[in-house]
Amino acid sequence: MSQALGAPATEAPSRVGMSQRSGGILFASFALGLALLAAVLAGWAPLGFSIVTVFLFAGPHNWYEFRYFLSRMPVRWGPRRTFYLLGIGGAVALAGLFALATLVGRFAEFSTEAWQIFSSTWNTLLLAWLAALIWLRGREGKGQRDLTWVWAVALALAAVAWRFPAQWDLALVYLHPLVALCFLQRELRRHRPGWLPAYYGVLALVPLLVGLLWWRLAATPDLPGEDALSLRIAQHAGAGVMGGVSTHFLVATHTFLEMLHYGAWLVAIPLVTYRTLPWRLEGAPLAKPASPWRGVVRVAALAGGAVVLLLWACFLADYPTTRDVYFTLAMLHVLAEFPFLIGTV
Amino acid sequence: MRTIIGSNALRSVFATLVSAALLPALALANRAPPPESPAPIAESVPLEVALKDGVPLRIEIPRGLLPKEAREKRAMPFGLGEFTTFASGLFVSLAIAASGIWLARRLGGFRSRPVSNRATGTIAAIVLVAGVAVAAALANAPAPPGLKVAAPADPDKLTVQISIVERGDKVVLHASPAELTKIFKPASAAAPSNAPAK
């Protein structure tokens, strides 16, 4: 009897483990297929792929990020009040400053040096904000950690941002897509820990794919387009900063990483995190019936959906201008990721 | 209770850190010399060709020969370009000082294992040597390049790097003899059709 009862008890976890493992392999196969497809398309037609991916996914992925932040934001902040106030306030202030300077700079025709000074100042504020968030995080709870080292690291990075402003900005452009992969790792750890080994395997292949792009494209001639949009895309990917490196490789790599970013936010994170359709907000703490924020959240989600439609319409009307405006305003979502990333460490 | 600053060992650490923080200032001693007073723009400027094997194709234009607006950009309020170097050095100093404060706090936490003066001296020596080495290495850094021209898309095209230099009164073309031949080849090839028949 004890054996008969014991047998299923020992089999059940192994079945769970098997199903987790096979689920992980399926997930990794899908992710790898997507990454390979993105690398091939980005290498084959970098400009076209960049234009299409930004048009299709830029708006929706912002909405999905907003949806994700809703699911992570508690109704009552409690001891994390200062952290969230600083996180949200800092993200809005820094994004506003960035947009304002871009607007003023266009009309006032800032010199390159003036831009560098602004960029370095803004990056210093960004680092101070991030350091403050990490430091506050260390002071939470009973097991407080002394994270004062973060100030020294932030100051050292500020020195780099002042010394190499263009390279620093470019590093942020390339690092931003990878932040989504960190969020995906967090969500897998929370909801599907059995998938993590397969996910790490796929992650290890990302540098290999970038290496393949380098091998195939680094020595190729620059991209041929001389129109404003082609030049703008190449400049965004680092043309002019990475002298001597083919813009074909730069644009392909940037577009490939952006596609991973979009894939993580639009497919992988919703698949792993939500047990319902993403536009059903009931699962988010702020949207629950008892939450005083319920109405605001619903209006914000609807407004976000409207902005996505508006963005598509504007892309159809004037793609280059809309792309410029989008990448200026999208700084808010880039910054908003940090408090949530730091908050889940 | 004895304060952190009151400890002899930590006082030495602070003194060392302050010294180390001042070291990057030495690197500024190697900053570019101030631009010469701008000369009036000449209507014709001599072009000097400096031939040497293996040198990349480069044109050097003295800043004094540039238009007034371009010259003034460099001479804007106490040199914005230099300000970034100054700010970078300042943040390096602050980072070192902040590291020292963090270290002092960490070491201060281990009251059961007080830091000996010998250990402090060793740390101080390492920081000083590292600081001097960094300052000396930076002092030998090359001047930042002027305007860079992107790599050519067409293999038949030549890339010429144009640098704005602070001194001089003539434009200098640096090239290897082989590249110079390449430059003038199209002209000589086109010559027969345009040149008067002999």
Side-chain angles (χ1 to χ4, degrees), chain A residues 5-55:
Chain A
L5 283 173
T10 51
E11 269 182 27
S14 100
R15 261 189 215 149
V16 171
M18 281 286 283
S19 108
Q20 284 265 339
R21 217 174 301 140
S22 56
I25 289 167
L26 193 66
F27 170 77
S29 308
F30 180 73
L32 186 61
L34 188 73
L36 276 171
L37 185 66
V40 168
L41 289 173
W44 176 55
L47 286 173
F49 192 51
S50 172
I51 290 168
V52 170
T53 51
V54 169
F55 170 77

Side-chain angles (χ1 to χ4, degrees), chain B residues 93-107:
Chain B
S93 310
L94 289 172
I96 293 171
S99 309
I101 291 169
W102 173 75
L103 190 68
R105 282 168 60 99
R106 288 278 296 181
L107 296 176

Side-chain angles (χ1 to χ4, degrees), chain A residues 23-31 34 64 67-68 184 187-188 191-192 195 262-278:
Chain A
I25 289 167
L26 193 66
F27 170 77
S29 308
F30 180 73
L34 188 73
Y64 269 69
R67 171 70 180 86
Y68 175 79
L184 180 55
E187 291 309 312
L188 284 170
H191 300 285
R192 312 268 180 190
W195 294 10
Y262 294 144
W265 280 115
L266 289 169
V267 182
I269 292 175
L271 183 77
V272 171
T273 308
Y274 310 131
R275 300 190 190 285
T276 177
L277 293 167

Side-chain angles (χ1 to χ4, degrees), chain A residues 116-117 119-131 150-166 168-169, chain B residues 83-96:
Chain A
Q116 283 185 353
I117 297 278
S119 173
S120 300
T121 307
W122 188 88
N123 282 315
T124 307
L125 292 173
L126 169 71
L127 286 164
W129 176 63
L130 291 176
V150 77
W151 296 107
V153 173
L155 288 163
L157 290 174
V160 177
W162 277 93
R163 187 67 189 84
F164 306 104
W168 173 271
D169 286 342
Chain B
F83 178 73
T84 58
T85 311
F86 163 75
S88 179
L90 181 69
F91 280 112
V92 168
S93 310
L94 289 172
I96 293 171

Side-chain angles (χ1 to χ4, degrees), chain A residues 57-181:
Chain A
F57 306 130
H61 104 282
N62 271 277
W63 191 90
Y64 269 69
E65 279 200 43
F66 170 71
R67 171 70 180 86
Y68 175 79
F69 296 150
L70 274 184
S71 69
R72 293 271 77 88
M73 178 68 82
V75 181
R76 297 188 193 286
W77 293 343
R80 276 200 179 178
R81 186 180 162 77
T82 313
F83 178 87
Y84 280 119
L85 279 176
L86 182 67
I88 295 170
V92 171
L94 282 167
L97 184 63
F98 183 81
L100 184 71
T102 307
L103 191 70
V104 172
R106 288 208 168 195
F107 288 109
E109 294 184 353
F110 283 176
S111 67
T112 309
E113 286 176 332
W115 265 117
Q116 283 185 353
I117 297 278
F118 166 74
S119 173
S120 300
T121 307
W122 188 88
N123 282 315
T124 307
L125 292 173
L126 169 71
L127 286 164
W129 176 63
L130 291 176
L133 287 174
I134 294 171
W135 180 71
L136 280 174
R137 187 80 178 87
R139 289 166 63 88
E140 283 177 9
K142 286 178 185 170
Q144 289 190 3
R145 289 167 289 174
D146 180 16
L147 299 182
T148 43
W149 55 263
V150 77
W151 296 107
V153 173
L155 288 163
L157 290 174
V160 177
W162 277 93
R163 187 67 189 84
F164 306 104
Q167 287 84 351
W168 173 271
D169 286 342
L170 188 63
L172 293 187
V173 166
Y174 277 83
L175 285 176
H176 168 63
L178 303 178
V179 174
L181 304 180

